[in-house]
Amino acid sequence: MKVLLLDGHPDERRFSSNLLDLYEQALPESSEKIRVALRDLTFDPNLKHGYKERTEWEPDLRKLAEEFDACDHLVIAFPMWWGSEPAELKGLIDRLFLPGFMFSYRENSSLWDRHMHGRSADVIATMDTPPTFLWLMYGNALIKRWKRQVLGFVGFKPVRVLACGPIKNGGAEKGYPKWHRKIEKMARSIQPDGSETKELRLERFLNR
């Protein structure tokens, strides 16, 4: 099983990166692990023309697209800022999650095809907001978006989200043992959706 671990924090040695370390360490030894720190990649996060015309990928994005295409399981860790992910990670979604590669619109239809089927994903989000407050006040907007509008939209299934908060005022130290146990359990129970065969789309997309 090939596992792609994506560190979405723009800074080094931060708490979300530490939690991703725990996940990586808990993976079965038989796993092929590929780790990428988004902050180390060089690319323009701005999809200038939308889907009107293709914006060619920089070498780092092309390489990451290859890893997405080949992986069986994806793990993304990032901090929640203003109810969402950091800007560079949002830019990565805009640039990489493209029609023809990760999904395709059906002609004369409001439906679409999910090309990342056969792959599963875990999301680790750190935040100052207590998870209960995130649910009561904001309806778990971040969690629903990542599960349904981002990863689920292109076919990752199942998608599990671990909300780690609050981090501030000693919350990180207090919650660390609990999150550590949950992350270990997630890493040891990866189960991509076996009902659909993984499809490789990159070469088809690039040769259009």
Side-chain angles (χ1 to χ4, degrees):
M1 178 175 60
K2 186 169 185 177
V3 181
L4 173 60
L5 301 113
L6 182 60
D7 185 345
H9 202 296
D11 197 9
E12 296 180 347
R13 297 183 294 275
R14 302 303 291 266
F15 191 66
S16 58
S17 304
N18 178 263
L19 297 181
L20 192 62
D21 292 340
L22 297 179
Y23 194 109
E24 183 175 6
Q25 293 161 12
L27 284 168
E29 292 184 3
S30 59
S31 302
E32 180 182 352
K33 308 165 191 175
I34 306 296
R35 178 142 177 180
V36 177
L38 191 57
R39 58 184 169 271
D40 294 335
L41 306 185
T42 300
F43 70 97
D44 183 354
N46 183 21
L47 185 65
K48 296 179 181 178
H49 309 293
Y51 298 153
K52 184 178 181 181
E53 62 181 83
R54 179 182 292 188
T55 301
E56 296 298 329
W57 285 334
E58 297 84 349
D60 283 350
L61 273 193
R62 166 67 182 267
K63 176 61 178 175
L64 186 57
E66 293 172 357
E67 301 298 353
F68 267 86
D69 201 35
C71 78
D72 300 297
H73 184 73
L74 170 69
V75 190
I76 303 179
F78 61 86
M80 182 182 78
W81 291 347
W82 291 104
S84 185
E85 62 280 345
E88 195 170 29
L89 180 52
K90 174 56 169 65
L92 177 72
I93 297 170
D94 291 346
R95 292 291 314 279
L96 206 60
F97 286 47
L98 296 178
F101 175 38
M102 291 203 179
F103 71 98
S104 291
Y105 294 117
R106 298 179 185 177
E107 189 173 359
N108 300 320
S109 173
S110 59
L111 301 178
W112 68 98
D113 295 315
R114 301 171 170 89
H115 299 320
M116 292 291 107
H117 56 67
R119 300 165 178 83
S120 54
D122 287 328
V123 176
I124 302 170
T126 60
M127 57 193 69
D128 289 334
T129 304
T132 302
F133 193 84
L134 184 72
W135 170 57
L136 290 173
M137 294 299 295
Y138 305 122
N140 274 341
L142 176 81
I143 294 174
K144 290 179 180 177
R145 178 170 159 269
W146 273 90
K147 290 187 72 169
R148 302 175 188 175
Q149 291 181 282
V150 181
L151 297 176
F153 185 91
V154 298
F156 285 94
K157 182 182 178 182
V159 178
R160 303 178 296 185
V161 181
L162 177 61
C164 301
I167 301 300
K168 64 180 180 179
N169 300 326
E173 292 79 5
K174 182 179 179 180
Y176 187 84
K178 174 180 63 177
W179 301 328
H180 190 170
R181 290 192 299 270
K182 290 185 176 182
I183 287 171
E184 285 188 333
K185 184 177 180 180
M186 292 172 78
R188 293 170 181 167
S189 61
I190 297 172
Q191 191 172 1
D193 181 16
S195 65
E196 296 186 86
T197 304
K198 183 175 71 174
E199 183 178 6
L200 301 179
R201 295 286 305 188
L202 183 59
E203 288 304 317
R204 197 179 313 180
F205 171 73
L206 294 175
N207 293 329
R208 288 191 307 170

